[in-house]
C-alpha cells in the first residue's frame, strides 16, 4: 500500500516555498511530484517594462543569495546586446564579487546542510564565518546582501587598496576554516552516517537530466561555465574545476568545500593582480539598443545561470528569459529521492542547495484509512534522528 | 572541419535550414518545426546532450510564436553551443515533446506551456507549473496581448 | 488582570514562525542571521519555530503572490491567539520592486493585519531586532489588542 506525503510549501529556515508530493511505501519513496510556483512573481514580464539600466536592479531581486550573479549575468547580457566591452578593472571587480558571493553562499549552504542533519553547532560556526564575508560586501558596496555592484559597462564602485589588504587577511583566515570544515566532514562519524551513499546521482543521470553546478560536478560531470566558456577574467585566473565521483551528499559537500578553496585562490590572485584604470564606461540610461539578441551565461554558486535577451531596438528589452540553476536541478533531485528513505528527505533536498528545499508542513494521507496526519519539519528532523539511532542500535546489536 | 559537418548534418535533415554564426562559438539555426525531433536526435548522437533552456518568443506582428532550444556539447569542438529556432503559428501552437531525447527538457516544456500556451504532443503531464491552479483557460502571461485585468479576476 | 498576565508571559518569550510569501531570499537570510552568533536574538527569548501552531509572531517576507495568498491566510488561521504579524522588508510592506508584476497581490497588509513594519531591501538584522523589540514594547504598554 502506498501513502501520499505532501511536503511544503513553507519552511522555518530560509528556503523558497516549494511543494513535493511523495508516494511512499513503508519507509521508501516510490514516486515524487514537485510543484513549483510559490515564488513566482512574473519577473520576466516585469523586465520587459524596465530600461536596460534598470533591468539589473530588478534581476538581482530574483534571488537574494546569488544577487551578484543575477545582476552581473544580466548586465553581461545587456553589454552583449549593445556590443560594449567593460574595462579590465571593472571585470576584475566583477569576478571578485562573484567569487566572494560563492564563498558566502557555500558557507550558508554548508550550515543549512549540517542543520538538516542535526549538527547545529557547525551551523553556528559557518554562519559566524559568513558574517565576515558580509562585512567585506558592506565595505565594498554599502549593503550586506543585495549589493547591486555591477552596472552596464563595469561596476558601480571602485575598491580601495585597504579593502584588498583586508580581503587577503580574510582569505588566510578562511583557508584555515575550510581545512577545519573538510577535516570535520570527513572524520565525524555522525556526518558520515547521514551523508554517505545518501541521495546518489550517477554520472549518466546527471548528464541526461541536465544537472548543473556542484550537483553535476559531485557526480563527475564537467559542468562549469567557468570551465566551458571562461567569461570575465576566468581564463587568466588560477581557476581549476573541482570534481567528485560518488555523487552522494558527502561528495556534494566536499565539492563545495573544495570550491571555496579555489575561490579563495582566485580572490588572492585578484588582490595581487588587479590593474589600475577605469572601472566602468559611461552609459546613458535612455540609450536605445540595436536590434539584436544575446545569451549570457555565468556560473552562479548553484550552477549555470542563463539569460537570453531579445531587443527590437527600444529602450527596453522585448523579451528576457531567465533560467536559474535551481530550476534545472529539480529533475535531478526527483531522481535522487526515488528509492530513498523518508528520514533522508531533508538531507537530499538540501544537498542540491537550499534555494529550493522546503519541508515545513507534511501531511501523510493514508489512502486505506482515509486519515490525515500532519507533521512538521522539526518533527521530521527529530524523527530522522530517532530513526538513525534505532538503525545504528540494531546494527551495533548484531555486532 | 567538424563545424561544417554539423551544418551539413542539419542541412541533410532539413534543406531549408538557415544558419547564423553568433559570437562566443554559438550557432543559431532556424529549422522547420516538424524536423525538430530528428535534428535533436542526430545532434544528441554527436554529443549535444545538455539543454540549457527553451525560451519562447511571441511575435504578435507576424502571428508567430518562436521557440528557441539552447543545447550544448561537453566535449570541445568548434560549435559547443547551438540555438535551434522553430516557428509555430500563434493560433493553436503545437510541437512534439522532446523529453524522450533530452529528459532534462521536461520542466522547460511545462514552463513554455504555462507562459505561451504551446502544446507539446507526447508530454506526460502538461499542465500549469508556475501559475496558480485556479487560473484556467487561455491565460498565458508572456504573450504580448496578455491583459492584467483578465488575470486580476482569476487571482481571487 | 488576565490580560496583564498574558502580556507578562509574552514579552520574554516571543516565538516566531517565518513565512516567505514570494520574496527573493534576501530578507530571509537576514532573519536567519539574527538568530546566529553575531546578533543572537535567542538571548531575548525569541526563537524560530517549525510550525505556525507554536508561534506568537508571524515574520512575513516578500510580496504576496497569487499562489501564496491563500496559504498565508491558512497559516494565519493556524496561528493561535494572541498573534502578531511583522512584515520584514519593503516588499512585504508595499510590494516593493515587484509592484506591477502580474502575479503580485501586494503588501502583506492587504490580507492580514500587520503590527510592525521593517523597511529595507533587504532589512538589516539590527532593524529586524529593533522591530521585534518595539513590538515587545507595545505589548508591555498594552498598545496592541490581545
Amino acid at each position: 500500500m502506498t501513502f501520499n506525503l505532501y511536503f511544503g510549501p513553507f519552511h522555518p529556515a530560509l528556503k523558497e516555498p516549494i511543494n513535493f508530493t511523495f508516494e511512499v511505501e513503508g519507509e521508501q519513496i516510490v514516486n515524487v511530484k514537485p510543484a513549483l510556483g510559490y515564488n513566482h512573481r512574473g519577473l520576466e514580464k516585469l523586465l520587459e517594462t524596465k530600461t536596460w539600466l534598470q533591468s539589473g536592479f530588478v534581476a538581482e531581486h530574483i534571488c537574494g543569495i546569488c544577487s551578484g550573479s543575477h545582476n552581473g549575468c544580466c548586465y553581461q547580457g545587456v553589454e552583449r546586446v549593445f556590443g560594449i566591452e567593460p574595462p579590465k578593472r571593472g571585470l576584475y571587480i566583477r569576478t571578485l564579487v562573484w567569487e566572494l558571493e560563492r564563498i558566502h553562499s557555500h558557507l550558508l549552504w554548508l550550515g543549512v546542510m549540517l542543520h538538516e542533519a542535526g549538527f547545529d553547532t557547525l551551523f553556528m560556526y559557518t554562519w559566524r564565518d559568513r558574517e565576515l564575508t558580509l562585512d567585506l560586501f558592506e565595505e565594498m558596496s554599502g549593503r550586506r546582501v543585495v549589493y547591486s555592484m555591477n552596472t552596464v559597462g563595469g561596476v558601480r564602485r571602485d575598491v580601495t587598496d585597504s579593502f584588498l589588504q583586508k580581503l587577503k587577511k580574510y582569505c588566510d583566515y578562511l583557508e584555515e576554516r575550510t581545512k577545519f570544515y573538510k577535516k570535520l566532514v570527513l572524520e565525524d562519524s555522525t556526518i558520515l552516517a547521514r551523508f554517505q551513499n545518501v541521495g546518489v546521482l550517477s554520472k549518466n543521470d546527471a548528464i541526461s537530466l541536465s544537472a548543473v553546478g556542484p550537483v553535476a560536478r559531485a557526480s563527475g560531470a564537467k559542468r562549469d561555465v567557468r570551465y566551458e566558456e571562461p567569461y570575465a577574467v576566468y581564463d587568466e585566473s588560477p581557476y581549476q574545476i573541482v570534481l567528485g565521483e560518488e555523487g552522494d551528499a558527502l561528495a556534494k559537500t566536499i565539492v563545495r568545500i573544495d570550491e571555496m578553496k579555489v575561490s579563495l585562490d582566485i580572490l588572492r590572485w585578484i588582490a595581487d593582480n588587479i590593474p589600475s584604470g577605469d572601472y566602468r564606461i559611461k552609459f546613458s540610461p535612455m540609450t536605445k539598443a540595436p536590434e539584436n539578441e544575446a545569451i549570457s551565461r555565468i556560473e552562479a554558486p548553484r550552477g549555470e545561470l542563463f539569460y537570453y535577451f531579445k531587443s527590437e531596438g527600444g529602450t527596453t528589452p522585448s523579451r528576457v528569459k531567465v533560467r536559474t540553476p535551481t530550476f534545472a536541478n529539480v529533475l535531478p533531485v526527483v531522481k535522487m529521492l526515488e528509492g530513498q528513505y523518508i528520514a533522508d528527505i531533508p538531507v537530499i533536498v538540501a544537498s542540491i542547495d537550499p534555494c529550493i528545499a522546503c519541508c515545513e508542513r507534511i501531511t501523510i494521507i493514508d489512502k486505506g484509512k482515509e486519515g490525515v496526519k500532519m507533521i512538521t519539519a522539526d518533527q521530521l528532523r527529530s524523527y530522522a534522528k530517532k530513526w538513525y539511532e534505532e538503525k545504528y542500535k540494531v546494527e551495533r546489536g548484531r555486532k | 572541419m567538424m563545424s561544417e559537418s554539423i551544418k551539413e548534418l542539419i542541412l541533410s535533415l532539413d534543406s531549408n535550414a538557415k544558419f547564423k554564426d553568433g559570437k562566443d562559438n554559438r550557432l543559431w539555426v532556424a529549422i522547420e518545426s516538424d524536423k525538430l525531433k530528428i535534428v535533436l536526435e542526430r545532434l544528441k548522437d554527436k554529443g549535444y546532450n545538455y539543454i540549457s533552456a527553451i525560451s519562447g518568443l511571441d511575435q504578435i506582428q507576424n502571428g508567430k510564436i518562436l521557440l528557441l532550444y539552447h543545447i550544448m556539447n561537453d566535449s570541445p569542438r568548434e560549435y559547443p553551443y547551438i540555438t535551434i529556432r522553430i516557428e509555430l503559428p500563434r493560433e493553436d501552437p503545437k510541437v512534439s515533446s522532446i523529453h524522450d531525447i533530452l529528459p532534462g527538457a521536461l520542466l522547460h516544456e511545462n514552463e513554455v506551456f504555462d507562459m505561451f500556451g504551446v502544446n507539446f504532443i507526447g508530454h506526460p503531464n502538461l499542465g500549469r507549473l508556475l501559475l496558480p491552479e485556479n487560473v484556467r483557460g487561455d491565460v498565458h502571461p508572456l504573450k504580448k496581448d496578455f491583459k492584467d485585468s483578465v488575470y486580476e479576476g482569476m487571482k481571487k | 488582570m488576565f490580560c496583564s498576565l498574558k502580556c507578562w508571559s509574552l514579552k520574554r518569550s516571543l516565538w516566531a514562525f517565518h513565512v516567505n510569501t514570494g520574496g527573493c531570499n534576501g530578507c530571509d537570510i537576514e532573519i536567519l542571521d539574527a538568530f546566529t552568533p553575531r546578533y543572537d536574538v535567542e538571548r531575548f527569548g525569541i526563537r524560530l519555530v517549525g510550525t505556525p501552531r507554536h508561534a506568537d509572531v508571524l515574520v512575513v517576507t516578500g510580496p504576496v503572490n497569487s499562489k501564496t495568498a491563500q496559504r498565508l491566510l491558512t497559516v494565519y488561521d493556524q496561528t493561535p491567539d494572541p498573534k502578531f504579524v511583522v512584515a520584514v522588508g519593503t516588499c512585504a510592506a508595499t510590494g516593493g520592486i515587484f509592484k506591477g508584476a502580474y502575479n503580485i497581490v501586494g503588501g502583506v497588509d492587504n490580507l492580514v493585519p500587520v503590527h510592525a513594519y521593517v523597511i529595507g531591501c533587504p532589512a538589516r538584522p539590527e532593524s529586524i531586532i529593533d522591530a521585534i523589540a518595539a513590538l515587545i514594547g507595545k505589548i508591555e504598554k498594552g498598545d496592541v489588542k490581545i
Side-chain angles (χ1 to χ4, degrees):
Chain A
M1 185 173 33
T2 58
F3 298 91
N4 269 12
L5 201 92
Y6 296 100
F7 220 60
F10 290 118
H11 186 278
L14 71 155
K15 294 131 199 178
E16 292 177 303
I18 189 187
N19 172 281
F20 286 107
T21 309
F22 295 103
E23 242 174 65
V24 294
E25 222 177 73
E27 285 286 330
Q28 265 186 327
I29 301 162
V30 185
N31 197 3
V32 188
K33 283 190 207 110
L36 303 165
Y38 294 96
N39 227 329
H40 181 66
R41 288 152 284 180
L43 271 163
E44 290 182 15
K45 190 84 176 174
L46 191 66
L47 279 169
E48 290 173 10
T49 65
K50 303 286 176 198
T51 66
W52 296 100
L53 196 60
Q54 284 171 337
S55 60
F57 295 106
V58 179
E60 70 180 352
H61 286 90
I62 290 173
C63 174
I65 301 175
C66 31
S67 60
S69 305
H70 275 281
N71 182 263
C73 187
C74 178
Y75 283 137
Q76 184 176 288
V78 173
E79 281 156 10
R80 284 181 186 169
V81 169
F82 280 89
I84 305 174
E85 188 64 37
K88 208 77 185 161
R89 189 176 173 90
L91 288 178
Y92 270 75
I93 299 173
R94 241 180 224 189
T95 315
L96 192 154
V97 174
W98 285 330
E99 290 308 317
L100 212 50
E101 183 172 79
R102 195 179 317 280
I103 293 173
H104 129 74
S105 174
H106 282 357
L107 277 174
L108 180 152
W109 171 84
L110 187 63
V112 172
M113 180 79 172
L114 292 159
H115 168 69
E116 298 296 352
F119 209 132
D120 269 2
T121 319
L122 214 51
F123 168 63
M124 293 293 173
Y125 274 14
T126 55
W127 277 65
R128 197 181 60 191
D129 289 342
R130 186 180 154 268
E131 287 291 331
L132 300 173
T133 324
L134 297 187
D135 285 349
L136 285 179
F137 274 131
E138 193 167 10
E139 186 171 343
M140 183 166 61
S141 70
R143 293 163 91 185
R144 281 159 52 90
V145 175
V146 179
Y147 15 81
S148 341
M149 261 306 267
N150 303 299
T151 183
V152 181
V155 288
R156 211 164 46 79
R157 283 183 176 207
D158 203 358
V159 293
T160 58
D161 284 341
S162 66
F163 171 80
L164 293 175
Q165 293 308 319
K166 255 188 209 167
L167 182 71
K168 275 195 208 167
K169 262 189 213 157
Y170 159 85
C171 289
D172 293 339
Y173 170 75
L174 217 65
E175 178 126 23
E176 290 305 310
R177 299 297 292 177
T178 46
K179 275 181 199 158
F180 166 71
Y181 293 136
K182 191 169 176 182
K183 181 168 171 275
L184 231 158
V185 170
L186 282 175
E187 287 178 4
D188 190 278
S189 58
T190 325
I191 296 178
L192 287 179
R194 291 298 301 272
F195 288 3
Q196 223 164 14
N197 297 326
V198 166
V200 180
L201 185 72
S202 70
K203 191 179 173 184
N204 281 344
D205 284 338
I207 289 172
S208 75
L209 292 172
S210 298
V212 294
V215 178
R217 291 198 285 279
S219 303
K222 284 189 179 176
R223 278 275 153 72
D224 192 329
V225 186
R226 295 174 289 173
Y227 166 81
E228 295 153 0
E229 187 192 1
Y231 51 96
V233 292
Y234 281 108
D235 45 352
E236 303 158 27
S237 73
Y239 161 72
Q240 282 171 323
I241 191 165
V242 179
L243 289 176
E245 264 178 34
E246 293 85 2
D248 55 359
L250 187 68
K252 290 181 186 98
T253 315
I254 298 296
V255 161
R256 283 189 174 100
I257 293 176
D258 285 348
E259 252 178 34
M260 277 182 348
K261 190 155 177 318
V262 173
S263 293
L264 289 173
D265 289 343
I266 298 176
L267 285 178
R268 269 200 211 102
W269 172 82
I270 288 172
D272 287 335
N273 292 303
I274 188 162
S276 54
D278 281 345
Y279 56 93
R280 69 164 170 208
I281 49 175
K282 217 170 153 57
F283 182 83
S284 158
M286 292 308 279
T287 317
K288 279 193 175 160
E291 249 180 67
N292 204 349
E293 52 192 341
I295 284 167
S296 166
R297 298 160 72 230
I298 71 162
E299 185 73 14
R302 288 165 183 76
E304 182 207 27
L305 182 62
F306 180 98
Y307 270 71
Y308 166 83
F309 284 93
K310 169 86 180 164
S311 153
E312 281 172 357
T315 52
T316 58
S318 79
R319 169 93 170 96
V320 184
K321 160 84 190 165
V322 184
R323 206 294 318 271
T324 55
T326 308
F327 189 77
N329 275 339
V330 170
L331 283 177
V333 79
V334 167
K335 183 84 196 164
M336 285 190 259
L337 282 163
E338 277 166 17
Q340 299 285 327
Y341 295 106
I342 296 175
D344 289 329
I345 291 173
V347 166
I348 297 172
V349 176
S351 79
I352 71 155
D353 213 333
C355 212
I356 199 151
C358 205
C359 39
E360 185 311 273
R361 195 174 59 248
I362 307 159
T363 322
I364 297 181
I365 296 185
D366 184 337
K367 270 184 185 164
K369 294 174 196 161
E370 291 187 358
V372 179
K373 199 175 152 195
M374 291 263 255
I375 50 173
T376 67
D378 281 356
Q379 281 168 334
L380 184 75
R381 219 171 277 136
S382 57
Y383 167 79
K385 275 183 214 159
K386 251 184 238 155
W387 192 82
Y388 268 94
E389 270 169 23
E390 292 287 316
K391 191 180 159 192
Y392 282 97
K393 233 183 264 164
V394 173
E395 276 180 16
R396 247 178 265 139
R398 270 189 209 137
K399 276 170 201 167
Chain B
M1 285 303 101
M2 215 53 173
S3 65
E4 282 313 304
S5 78
I6 290 289
K7 280 186 183 174
E8 273 164 21
L9 175 79
I10 296 171
L11 272 177
S12 72
L13 297 166
D14 182 1
S15 51
N16 293 326
K18 289 181 190 67
F19 298 96
K20 189 179 97 188
D21 283 327
K23 279 180 190 166
D24 314 316
N25 307 325
R26 189 176 281 274
L27 180 68
W28 301 72
V29 196
I31 57 166
E32 298 283 328
S33 61
D34 51 342
K35 302 276 167 42
L36 173 74
K37 235 178 147 162
I38 180 86
V39 169
L40 279 174
E41 213 164 309
R42 297 296 291 275
L43 285 176
K44 196 191 175 188
D45 295 341
K46 293 260 176 199
Y48 291 87
N49 53 13
Y50 171 77
I51 181 152
S52 279
I54 303 174
S55 56
L57 208 59
D58 184 15
Q59 297 207 315
I60 195 161
Q61 63 276 26
N62 344 329
K64 300 267 187 220
I65 283 184
L66 266 58
L67 288 189
L68 279 75
Y69 292 73
H70 309 279
I71 57 171
M72 196 185 84
N73 193 335
D74 280 344
S75 49
R77 52 173 63 227
E78 205 174 337
Y79 289 118
Y81 320 105
I82 299 183
T83 295
I84 297 173
R85 178 192 301 256
I86 55 167
E87 270 186 14
L88 302 172
R90 213 160 170 281
E91 300 300 318
D92 193 21
K94 261 186 224 153
V95 67
S96 51
S97 169
I98 56 155
H99 78 276
D100 44 349
I101 306 166
L102 298 166
L106 208 62
L107 280 182
H108 297 300
E109 288 183 345
N110 253 334
E111 195 194 355
V112 172
F113 167 76
D114 209 353
M115 295 294 153
F116 291 93
V118 177
N119 255 317
F120 289 91
I121 300 155
H123 190 286
N125 53 345
L126 202 62
R128 293 272 179 214
L129 179 74
L130 296 171
L131 297 188
E133 312 80 355
N134 50 351
V135 176
R136 292 206 179 85
D138 196 24
V139 181
H140 302 291
L142 284 183
K143 280 187 168 178
K144 293 285 177 200
D145 55 354
F146 166 78
K147 284 187 190 67
D148 264 3
S149 52
V150 180
Y151 194 67
E152 250 354 275
M154 291 189 167
K155 277 200 287 203
K156 279 149 198 164
Chain C
M1 209 310 255
F2 186 57
C3 179
S4 63
L5 181 71
K6 267 205 278 190
C7 289
W8 171 82
S9 65
L10 267 174
K11 68 188 181 191
R12 292 274 178 266
S13 63
L14 277 183
W15 284 12
F17 177 69
H18 169 214
V19 192
N20 177 349
T21 53
C24 75
N25 270 348
C27 297
D28 311 37
I29 50 176
E30 291 293 59
I31 289 173
L32 209 57
D33 238 23
F35 289 86
T36 49
R38 183 176 287 182
Y39 299 102
D40 194 17
V41 292
E42 286 199 16
R43 64 203 151 116
F44 305 125
I46 303 162
R47 58 174 298 221
L48 275 184
V49 289
T51 160
R53 292 181 201 283
H54 297 165
D56 306 305
V57 186
L58 287 183
V59 183
V60 188
T61 58
V64 181
N65 73 16
S66 51
K67 208 164 177 172
T68 48
Q70 193 53 48
R71 273 85 177 174
L72 176 65
L73 291 175
T74 313
V75 168
Y76 187 76
D77 288 341
Q78 285 175 350
T79 317
D81 282 328
K83 55 192 163 193
F84 310 100
V85 178
V86 180
V88 175
T90 311
C91 301
T94 63
I97 197 161
F98 305 115
K99 203 164 190 175
Y102 60 86
N103 211 24
I104 299 296
V105 176
V108 177
D109 48 7
N110 289 349
L111 291 159
V112 294
V114 176
H115 296 85
Y117 294 93
V118 189
I119 302 300
C121 184
R124 294 178 63 91
E126 289 97 329
S127 53
I128 297 169
I129 296 168
D130 187 42
I132 294 185
L135 181 66
I136 293 175
K138 267 184 167 182
I139 295 170
E140 268 179 353
K141 277 192 203 146
D143 282 356
V144 283
K145 229 171 122 187
I146 299 180

